Amino acid sequence: MKYIDEFNDPDLARRLLDEIHATATHPWALMEVCGGQTHSIIRHGIDQLLPEQVELIHGPGCPVCVTPLDVIDQALEIASRQGVIFCSFGDMLRVPGSDRDLFRVKGEGGDVRVVYSPLDALELARRNPDREVVFFAIGFETTAPANAMAVHQARRLGLTNFSLLVSHVRVPPAIEAIMTSPVCRVQGFLAAGHVCSVMGTAEYPQLAERFGVPLVVTGFEPLDILEGIRRAVRQLERGEHRVENAYARAVREAGNPAALRMIEEVFEVTDRNWRGIGRIPLSGWRLAKAFRAYDAEHRFDVGGIRTEEPAECRSGEVLQGLIKPTECAAFGTTCTPRTPLGATMVSSEGACAAYYLYRRMNGPTPQATRATREEMNPVA
Amino acid sequence: MCLAVPGKVVAIDGSADPLTGLIDFGGVQKQACLEYVPDVRVGEYVIVHVGFALQRLDEESALASLKLFEELGLLEEEFGDAWEQAAQEDGTSAASERENSGSEAR
């Protein structure tokens, strides 16, 4: 416990860790579902401060990472077309498609724009009536209310030159897929706090009951994560499996009702492919019938694009918690943030990027220190 | 983009549709949609994700998060120049010239 001085409240961190150490008598494997949590864990070396019995497994909680290759290629195809302004969040720029990325498309003359919010893309559509403006609508439940509002507003304003390339994913079906895998080792979950800020916790009790796992809603600051782990371990040691909210300052049981109403109006549940994992039933959203006219996949007829993922990339196993990034032969050799094989290496929330960034090059090191920007982009 | 950042509501434009406010994220100010927290008031703190306030947050928690985010460079990641970052990751611009000159050091 000698490396916790950098925590924002080292005394509280120490107390939480003491209790986790005192409580854990059996080996337990917990999965954190949020990419922000993964980075916080690796950045602060939380996994190394835990007792040996408590293992953290990194889950599929990075929306950039799980966006399927097909959809990236659809995005690249649309972004390359004349007359299109393709809008995306910045962290999608370097996610590799089958032969290039959005950054490259921009270099080749495509009009790719980075926006902070989907409403910025909507504003571009309003100002450029002679151009088709397409927004790359990826993300989990946290992002869905924003994207839903954008398309809702587009219809209200009568904009006909705005559409979404939708690849929304939902957490609960992913938890179900992980728990029903024959190689699953997960015994408890740190549920993603900001997903629950929107969705609340109603979907989780049935998962806790069905799979006999504690689900602790957790934030992503170091103390939030320690508290989530403390509660999950306490439940496991007592033989309990309940939903607990360890992030009450940002999560209400009912979520955000206004946001939920908007999601329900604009989207409908559908099956989705997850990059590296495959098809998970009912694990995503697509535009509901009333909003189908705003679906870029149909408007640009790119639904037929199907692409094979590179065989040497094991990001699917990383995303399912089956291997740690360092167990992949390509990690840090043929696959680096500058030459990523998979999105887990390029996304700022990806597990592989976290291991690379915080110098976990050959498995656990005594202290996680942050690589400099020059080391991340290795040119002297 | 997974990051949701706490910020203080410093102004609300009641005439905007959708409802919009100016949010201060530890010095960086940006507009955000307030439709999902419609009764929020100036001076309160909210969690903002991709330009949308999603929940209220108490001041103490918000300030602690912001301080931590700033120390960890997360605010720069969230609000910085994505193109510049992508260029650096790609090794283009001045960095690639240095690499091409054979000075790569891993």
Side-chain angles (χ1 to χ4, degrees), chain A residues 235-299:
Chain A
Q235 280 198 47
L236 286 164
E237 289 284 341
R238 293 175 176 175
E240 298 172 348
H241 46 83
R242 292 179 286 110
V243 177
E244 278 190 76
N245 183 1
Y247 195 37
R249 67 183 193 274
V251 174
R252 323 273 178 267
E253 191 177 345
N256 183 321
L260 286 170
R261 278 196 299 276
M262 184 62 82
I263 290 172
E264 197 165 310
E265 180 187 343
V266 171
F267 292 124
E268 63 187 25
V269 169
T270 185
D271 297 348
R272 278 267 175 233
N273 284 324
W274 294 51
R275 188 168 192 168
I277 297 176
R279 198 159 196 79
I280 303 179
L282 308 179
S283 67
W285 279 307
R286 63 178 174 186
L287 290 167
K289 273 208 180 86
F291 293 89
R292 205 60 60 75
Y294 299 92
D295 188 338
E297 185 178 328
H298 296 302
R299 187 176 295 199

Coordinates of all heavy atoms in Angstrom, one line a residue, chain A residues 235-299:
Chain A
Q235 N -20.1 -8.6 -0.2 CA -21.2 -9.5 -0.6 C -20.8 -10.9 -0.9 O -21.4 -11.9 -0.4 CB -21.9 -8.9 -1.8 CG -22.8 -7.8 -1.6 CD -23.7 -7.5 -2.8 OE1 -24.3 -8.5 -3.3 NE2 -23.8 -6.3 -3.2
L236 N -19.7 -11.0 -1.6 CA -19.2 -12.4 -2.0 C -18.9 -13.2 -0.8 O -19.2 -14.4 -0.7 CB -18.0 -12.2 -3.0 CG -18.4 -11.8 -4.4 CD1 -17.1 -11.3 -5.2 CD2 -19.1 -12.9 -5.2
E237 N -18.2 -12.6 0.1 CA -17.8 -13.3 1.4 C -19.0 -13.7 2.2 O -18.9 -14.7 2.9 CB -16.8 -12.4 2.2 CG -15.4 -12.2 1.6 CD -14.5 -13.5 1.7 OE1 -14.8 -14.3 2.6 OE2 -13.6 -13.6 1.0
R238 N -20.1 -13.0 2.1 CA -21.3 -13.3 2.8 C -22.2 -14.2 2.0 O -23.3 -14.5 2.5 CB -22.0 -12.0 3.2 CG -21.3 -11.2 4.2 CD -22.1 -9.9 4.4 NE -21.5 -9.0 5.4 CZ -22.0 -7.8 5.7 NH1 -23.0 -7.3 5.1 NH2 -21.4 -7.1 6.7
G239 N -21.8 -14.5 0.8 CA -22.7 -15.3 0.0 C -23.9 -14.6 -0.6 O -24.9 -15.2 -0.9
E240 N -23.8 -13.3 -0.7 CA -24.9 -12.5 -1.2 C -24.7 -12.1 -2.7 O -23.6 -12.1 -3.2 CB -25.0 -11.2 -0.3 CG -25.3 -11.4 1.1 CD -25.2 -10.1 2.0 OE1 -24.7 -9.1 1.5 OE2 -25.5 -10.2 3.1
H241 N -25.8 -11.7 -3.3 CA -25.7 -11.2 -4.7 C -26.9 -10.2 -4.9 O -28.0 -10.6 -5.2 CB -25.8 -12.4 -5.7 CG -26.8 -13.4 -5.4 ND1 -28.1 -13.2 -5.9 CD2 -26.8 -14.6 -4.8 CE1 -28.8 -14.3 -5.5 NE2 -28.0 -15.1 -4.8
R242 N -26.5 -9.0 -4.6 CA -27.5 -7.9 -4.7 C -27.0 -6.8 -5.6 O -25.8 -6.8 -5.9 CB -27.8 -7.3 -3.3 CG -28.5 -8.2 -2.3 CD -28.7 -7.6 -1.0 NE -27.4 -7.5 -0.2 CZ -26.8 -6.4 0.0 NH1 -27.2 -5.2 -0.5 NH2 -25.6 -6.4 0.7
V243 N -27.9 -5.9 -5.9 CA -27.5 -4.6 -6.5 C -27.2 -3.6 -5.4 O -28.1 -3.4 -4.6 CB -28.5 -4.1 -7.5 CG1 -28.1 -2.8 -8.2 CG2 -28.8 -5.2 -8.6
E244 N -26.1 -3.0 -5.4 CA -25.8 -1.9 -4.5 C -25.4 -0.7 -5.3 O -24.7 -0.8 -6.3 CB -24.6 -2.3 -3.6 CG -25.0 -3.1 -2.4 CD -23.9 -3.2 -1.4 OE1 -23.6 -2.3 -0.6 OE2 -23.2 -4.3 -1.4
N245 N -25.7 0.5 -4.8 CA -25.3 1.7 -5.5 C -24.2 2.4 -4.7 O -24.5 3.0 -3.6 CB -26.5 2.6 -5.6 CG -26.2 3.9 -6.4 OD1 -25.1 4.1 -6.8 ND2 -27.2 4.8 -6.5
A246 N -23.0 2.3 -5.1 CA -21.9 3.0 -4.5 C -21.5 4.3 -5.1 O -20.5 4.9 -4.9 CB -20.7 2.1 -4.5
Y247 N -22.4 4.8 -6.0 CA -22.2 6.0 -6.7 C -23.5 6.9 -6.6 O -23.9 7.5 -7.6 CB -21.9 5.7 -8.1 CG -21.3 6.8 -9.0 CD1 -20.4 7.7 -8.4 CD2 -21.5 7.0 -10.3 CE1 -19.8 8.8 -9.1 CE2 -21.0 8.0 -11.1 CZ -20.1 8.9 -10.5 OH -19.5 9.9 -11.2
A248 N -24.0 6.9 -5.4 CA -25.3 7.5 -5.2 C -25.3 9.0 -5.5 O -26.4 9.6 -5.8 CB -25.8 7.3 -3.7
R249 N -24.2 9.7 -5.5 CA -24.1 11.1 -5.7 C -24.5 11.4 -7.2 O -24.8 12.5 -7.5 CB -22.8 11.7 -5.3 CG -21.6 11.3 -6.1 CD -20.3 11.9 -5.6 NE -19.2 11.8 -6.4 CZ -18.4 10.7 -6.5 NH1 -18.6 9.7 -5.7 NH2 -17.4 10.7 -7.3
A250 N -24.4 10.4 -8.1 CA -24.6 10.7 -9.5 C -25.7 9.7 -10.1 O -26.0 9.8 -11.2 CB -23.4 10.6 -10.3
V251 N -26.1 8.7 -9.3 CA -27.0 7.7 -9.8 C -28.3 7.6 -8.9 O -28.1 7.4 -7.7 CB -26.3 6.3 -9.8 CG1 -27.3 5.2 -10.2 CG2 -25.2 6.3 -10.8
R252 N -29.4 7.8 -9.5 CA -30.7 7.6 -8.8 C -31.2 6.3 -9.3 O -31.0 5.9 -10.5 CB -31.7 8.7 -9.1 CG -31.1 10.1 -9.2 CD -31.0 10.8 -7.9 NE -30.4 12.1 -8.0 CZ -29.1 12.4 -7.9 NH1 -28.3 11.4 -7.7 NH2 -28.6 13.6 -8.0
E253 N -32.0 5.6 -8.5 CA -32.5 4.3 -8.8 C -33.3 4.4 -10.2 O -33.2 3.5 -11.0 CB -33.4 3.8 -7.7 CG -33.8 2.3 -7.9 CD -34.6 1.8 -6.7 OE1 -34.7 2.5 -5.7 OE2 -35.2 0.7 -6.9
A254 N -34.0 5.5 -10.4 CA -34.9 5.6 -11.6 C -34.1 6.1 -12.7 O -34.6 6.3 -13.8 CB -36.1 6.4 -11.3
G255 N -32.8 6.4 -12.6 CA -32.0 7.0 -13.6 C -32.5 8.4 -13.9 O -32.9 9.2 -13.0
N256 N -32.4 8.8 -15.2 CA -32.9 10.2 -15.6 C -34.2 10.0 -16.4 O -34.1 9.6 -17.6 CB -31.8 10.9 -16.4 CG -32.3 12.3 -16.8 OD1 -33.4 12.5 -17.1 ND2 -31.3 13.2 -16.7
P257 N -35.3 10.2 -15.8 CA -36.6 9.9 -16.5 C -36.8 10.6 -17.9 O -37.2 10.1 -18.8 CB -37.7 10.3 -15.5 CG -37.0 10.2 -14.2 CD -35.6 10.6 -14.5
A258 N -36.3 11.9 -17.9 CA -36.5 12.7 -19.2 C -35.6 12.1 -20.3 O -36.1 11.9 -21.4 CB -36.1 14.1 -18.9
A259 N -34.4 11.6 -19.9 CA -33.5 11.0 -20.9 C -34.1 9.7 -21.3 O -34.0 9.3 -22.5 CB -32.1 10.9 -20.3
L260 N -34.6 8.9 -20.4 CA -35.2 7.6 -20.7 C -36.3 7.7 -21.7 O -36.5 7.0 -22.6 CB -35.6 6.9 -19.5 CG -34.4 6.3 -18.6 CD1 -34.9 5.8 -17.3 CD2 -33.8 5.2 -19.4
R261 N -37.2 8.8 -21.5 CA -38.3 9.0 -22.4 C -37.9 9.3 -23.8 O -38.4 8.8 -24.8 CB -39.2 10.1 -21.8 CG -40.2 9.7 -20.7 CD -41.2 10.8 -20.5 NE -40.7 12.1 -20.2 CZ -40.4 12.4 -18.9 NH1 -40.6 11.6 -17.9 NH2 -39.9 13.6 -18.6
M262 N -36.8 10.1 -23.9 CA -36.3 10.4 -25.2 C -35.7 9.2 -25.9 O -35.9 9.0 -27.1 CB -35.3 11.6 -25.1 CG -34.7 12.1 -26.4 SD -36.0 12.8 -27.5 CE -36.1 14.5 -26.8
I263 N -35.0 8.4 -25.2 CA -34.4 7.2 -25.8 C -35.5 6.3 -26.3 O -35.4 5.8 -27.4 CB -33.5 6.4 -24.7 CG1 -32.2 7.2 -24.4 CG2 -33.2 5.0 -25.2 CD1 -31.4 6.6 -23.2
E264 N -36.5 6.2 -25.5 CA -37.6 5.2 -25.8 C -38.4 5.7 -27.1 O -38.8 5.0 -27.9 CB -38.6 5.1 -24.6 CG -39.5 3.9 -24.8 CD -40.2 3.6 -23.4 OE1 -39.5 3.6 -22.4 OE2 -41.4 3.5 -23.4
E265 N -38.4 7.1 -27.2 CA -39.2 7.6 -28.4 C -38.3 7.4 -29.6 O -38.9 7.1 -30.7 CB -39.4 9.1 -28.1 CG -40.2 9.7 -29.3 CD -40.3 11.2 -29.2 OE1 -40.1 11.8 -28.1 OE2 -40.6 11.9 -30.3
V266 N -37.0 7.6 -29.6 CA -36.2 7.7 -30.8 C -35.6 6.3 -31.2 O -35.5 6.0 -32.4 CB -35.1 8.7 -30.6 CG1 -34.1 8.7 -31.8 CG2 -35.7 10.1 -30.5
F267 N -35.3 5.5 -30.2 CA -34.6 4.2 -30.5 C -35.5 3.0 -30.2 O -36.5 3.1 -29.5 CB -33.4 4.1 -29.6 CG -32.3 5.1 -30.0 CD1 -31.8 5.9 -29.0 CD2 -31.8 5.1 -31.3 CE1 -30.8 6.8 -29.3 CE2 -30.8 6.0 -31.6 CZ -30.3 6.9 -30.6
E268 N -35.1 1.9 -30.8 CA -35.7 0.6 -30.5 C -34.6 -0.4 -30.3 O -33.5 -0.3 -31.0 CB -36.7 0.1 -31.5 CG -36.2 -0.1 -32.9 CD -37.2 -0.4 -33.9 OE1 -38.4 0.0 -33.7 OE2 -36.9 -1.1 -34.9
V269 N -34.8 -1.4 -29.5 CA -33.8 -2.4 -29.2 C -33.6 -3.3 -30.4 O -34.6 -3.7 -31.0 CB -34.2 -3.2 -27.9 CG1 -33.3 -4.4 -27.7 CG2 -34.2 -2.3 -26.7
T270 N -32.3 -3.6 -30.6 CA -32.0 -4.5 -31.7 C -30.8 -5.4 -31.4 O -30.1 -5.1 -30.4 CB -31.7 -3.7 -33.0 OG1 -31.5 -4.6 -34.1 CG2 -30.5 -2.8 -32.8
D271 N -30.6 -6.4 -32.1 CA -29.3 -7.2 -32.0 C -28.1 -6.3 -32.5 O -28.3 -5.6 -33.4 CB -29.3 -8.5 -32.8 CG -30.5 -9.4 -32.3 OD1 -31.0 -9.2 -31.3 OD2 -30.7 -10.4 -33.1
R272 N -27.0 -6.5 -31.9 CA -25.8 -5.8 -32.3 C -24.6 -6.7 -32.4 O -24.4 -7.6 -31.5 CB -25.5 -4.6 -31.4 CG -26.3 -3.4 -31.7 CD -25.6 -2.4 -32.6 NE -26.5 -1.3 -32.9 CZ -26.9 -0.9 -34.1 NH1 -26.4 -1.5 -35.2 NH2 -27.7 0.1 -34.3
N273 N -23.7 -6.5 -33.4 CA -22.4 -7.1 -33.3 C -21.5 -6.2 -32.5 O -21.5 -5.0 -32.5 CB -21.8 -7.1 -34.8 CG -22.4 -8.3 -35.6 OD1 -22.8 -9.3 -35.0 ND2 -22.7 -8.0 -36.8
W274 N -20.6 -6.9 -31.7 CA -19.6 -6.2 -30.9 C -18.3 -6.5 -31.5 O -18.0 -7.7 -31.7 CB -19.7 -6.6 -29.4 CG -21.0 -6.2 -28.7 CD1 -22.3 -6.4 -29.2 CD2 -21.1 -5.5 -27.5 NE1 -23.2 -5.9 -28.3 CE2 -22.5 -5.3 -27.2 CE3 -20.2 -5.0 -26.6 CZ2 -22.9 -4.7 -26.1 CZ3 -20.6 -4.3 -25.4 CH2 -22.0 -4.2 -25.2
R275 N -17.5 -5.5 -31.7 CA -16.2 -5.8 -32.3 C -15.4 -6.8 -31.4 O -15.3 -6.6 -30.2 CB -15.3 -4.5 -32.4 CG -14.1 -4.8 -33.2 CD -13.4 -3.4 -33.6 NE -12.4 -3.7 -34.6 CZ -11.8 -2.8 -35.3 NH1 -12.2 -1.5 -35.2 NH2 -10.9 -3.0 -36.2
G276 N -14.9 -7.8 -32.0 CA -14.1 -8.8 -31.3 C -14.9 -9.8 -30.5 O -14.3 -10.8 -30.0
I277 N -16.2 -9.6 -30.4 CA -17.0 -10.5 -29.5 C -18.0 -11.2 -30.4 O -18.2 -12.4 -30.3 CB -17.7 -9.7 -28.4 CG1 -16.7 -9.1 -27.5 CG2 -18.7 -10.6 -27.7 CD1 -17.3 -8.2 -26.4
G278 N -18.7 -10.5 -31.3 CA -19.7 -11.1 -32.1 C -21.1 -10.6 -31.8 O -21.2 -9.6 -31.0
R279 N -22.1 -11.3 -32.3 CA -23.4 -10.8 -32.1 C -24.0 -11.1 -30.7 O -23.8 -12.2 -30.2 CB -24.3 -11.5 -33.2 CG -25.6 -10.9 -33.4 CD -26.2 -11.3 -34.8 NE -27.3 -10.4 -35.2 CZ -27.1 -9.2 -35.8 NH1 -25.9 -8.8 -36.0 NH2 -28.1 -8.5 -36.2
I280 N -24.5 -10.1 -30.1 CA -25.2 -10.3 -28.8 C -26.7 -9.9 -29.0 O -26.9 -8.7 -29.4 CB -24.5 -9.4 -27.7 CG1 -23.0 -9.8 -27.6 CG2 -25.2 -9.6 -26.4 CD1 -22.3 -8.9 -26.5
P281 N -27.6 -10.8 -28.7 CA -29.0 -10.5 -29.0 C -29.4 -9.3 -28.1 O -29.1 -9.2 -27.0 CB -29.7 -11.8 -28.5 CG -28.7 -12.9 -28.6 CD -27.4 -12.2 -28.3
L282 N -30.2 -8.5 -28.7 CA -30.9 -7.3 -28.1 C -29.9 -6.4 -27.4 O -30.3 -5.7 -26.4 CB -31.9 -7.8 -27.0 CG -32.9 -8.9 -27.6 CD1 -33.9 -9.3 -26.5 CD2 -33.7 -8.3 -28.7
S283 N -28.7 -6.3 -27.9 CA -27.6 -5.6 -27.1 C -27.4 -4.2 -27.7 O -26.5 -3.5 -27.3 CB -26.3 -6.4 -27.2 OG -25.9 -6.4 -28.6
G284 N -28.3 -3.7 -28.5 CA -28.1 -2.4 -29.1 C -29.4 -1.6 -29.3 O -30.5 -2.1 -29.0
W285 N -29.2 -0.4 -29.8 CA -30.4 0.4 -30.2 C -30.2 0.7 -31.7 O -29.1 0.9 -32.2 CB -30.5 1.7 -29.4 CG -31.1 1.5 -28.1 CD1 -32.4 1.0 -27.8 CD2 -30.7 2.0 -26.9 NE1 -32.6 1.0 -26.5 CE2 -31.6 1.7 -25.9 CE3 -29.5 2.6 -26.5 CZ2 -31.5 2.0 -24.5 CZ3 -29.3 3.0 -25.1 CH2 -30.3 2.6 -24.2
R286 N -31.3 0.8 -32.4 CA -31.3 1.5 -33.7 C -32.4 2.5 -33.7 O -33.3 2.5 -32.8 CB -31.5 0.4 -34.8 CG -32.9 -0.3 -34.7 CD -33.1 -1.3 -35.9 NE -34.3 -2.0 -35.7 CZ -34.7 -3.0 -36.4 NH1 -34.0 -3.4 -37.4 NH2 -35.9 -3.6 -36.2
L287 N -32.5 3.3 -34.8 CA -33.6 4.3 -34.8 C -34.9 3.6 -35.0 O -35.0 2.6 -35.7 CB -33.3 5.2 -36.0 CG -32.1 6.2 -35.8 CD1 -31.7 6.8 -37.2 CD2 -32.4 7.2 -34.8
A288 N -35.9 4.1 -34.2 CA -37.2 3.5 -34.3 C -37.8 3.9 -35.7 O -37.3 4.8 -36.4 CB -38.1 4.1 -33.2
K289 N -38.9 3.2 -36.0 CA -39.5 3.4 -37.4 C -39.7 4.8 -37.7 O -39.5 5.3 -38.8 CB -40.8 2.6 -37.4 CG -40.6 1.2 -37.8 CD -41.9 0.7 -38.6 CE -41.7 -0.8 -39.0 NZ -42.1 -1.7 -37.9
A290 N -40.3 5.6 -36.7 CA -40.6 7.0 -37.0 C -39.4 7.8 -37.4 O -39.6 8.9 -37.9 CB -41.4 7.5 -35.8
F291 N -38.2 7.3 -37.0 CA -37.0 8.1 -37.3 C -36.1 7.5 -38.3 O -35.0 7.9 -38.5 CB -36.2 8.3 -36.0 CG -37.0 9.2 -35.0 CD1 -37.9 8.7 -34.1 CD2 -36.8 10.6 -35.1 CE1 -38.6 9.5 -33.2 CE2 -37.5 11.5 -34.2 CZ -38.4 10.9 -33.3
R292 N -36.6 6.4 -39.0 CA -35.8 5.6 -39.9 C -35.2 6.5 -41.0 O -34.2 6.2 -41.6 CB -36.6 4.4 -40.4 CG -35.8 3.2 -40.8 CD -35.0 2.6 -39.8 NE -35.6 2.0 -38.6 CZ -36.3 0.9 -38.5 NH1 -36.6 0.2 -39.6 NH2 -36.9 0.6 -37.4
A293 N -35.9 7.5 -41.4 CA -35.5 8.4 -42.5 C -34.1 9.0 -42.2 O -33.4 9.5 -43.1 CB -36.5 9.5 -42.8
Y294 N -33.8 9.1 -40.9 CA -32.5 9.7 -40.5 C -31.4 8.7 -40.3 O -30.4 8.9 -39.7 CB -32.7 10.5 -39.1 CG -33.7 11.6 -39.3 CD1 -35.1 11.3 -39.0 CD2 -33.3 12.8 -39.7 CE1 -36.0 12.3 -39.2 CE2 -34.3 13.8 -39.9 CZ -35.6 13.6 -39.6 OH -36.5 14.6 -39.8
D295 N -31.6 7.5 -40.8 CA -30.6 6.4 -40.7 C -29.6 6.4 -41.9 O -30.0 6.1 -43.0 CB -31.4 5.0 -40.7 CG -30.4 3.9 -40.3 OD1 -29.2 4.0 -40.5 OD2 -30.9 2.9 -39.9
A296 N -28.4 6.8 -41.6 CA -27.4 7.0 -42.6 C -27.1 5.6 -43.3 O -26.7 5.6 -44.5 CB -26.1 7.6 -42.1
E297 N -27.2 4.5 -42.6 CA -26.9 3.2 -43.2 C -27.8 3.0 -44.4 O -27.3 2.5 -45.4 CB -27.1 2.1 -42.1 CG -26.7 0.7 -42.6 CD -26.9 -0.3 -41.6 OE1 -26.7 0.0 -40.4 OE2 -27.2 -1.5 -41.9
H298 N -29.1 3.4 -44.3 CA -30.0 3.2 -45.4 C -29.8 4.3 -46.4 O -29.8 4.1 -47.6 CB -31.4 3.1 -44.9 CG -31.7 1.9 -44.0 ND1 -31.5 0.7 -44.5 CD2 -32.1 1.8 -42.8 CE1 -31.7 -0.2 -43.5 NE2 -32.1 0.5 -42.5
R299 N -29.7 5.5 -45.9 CA -29.6 6.7 -46.8 C -28.4 6.5 -47.8 O -28.5 6.9 -48.9 CB -29.5 8.0 -46.0 CG -29.5 9.2 -46.9 CD -29.5 10.5 -46.1 NE -30.7 10.7 -45.2 CZ -31.1 11.8 -44.7 NH1 -30.4 12.9 -44.9 NH2 -32.1 11.9 -43.9

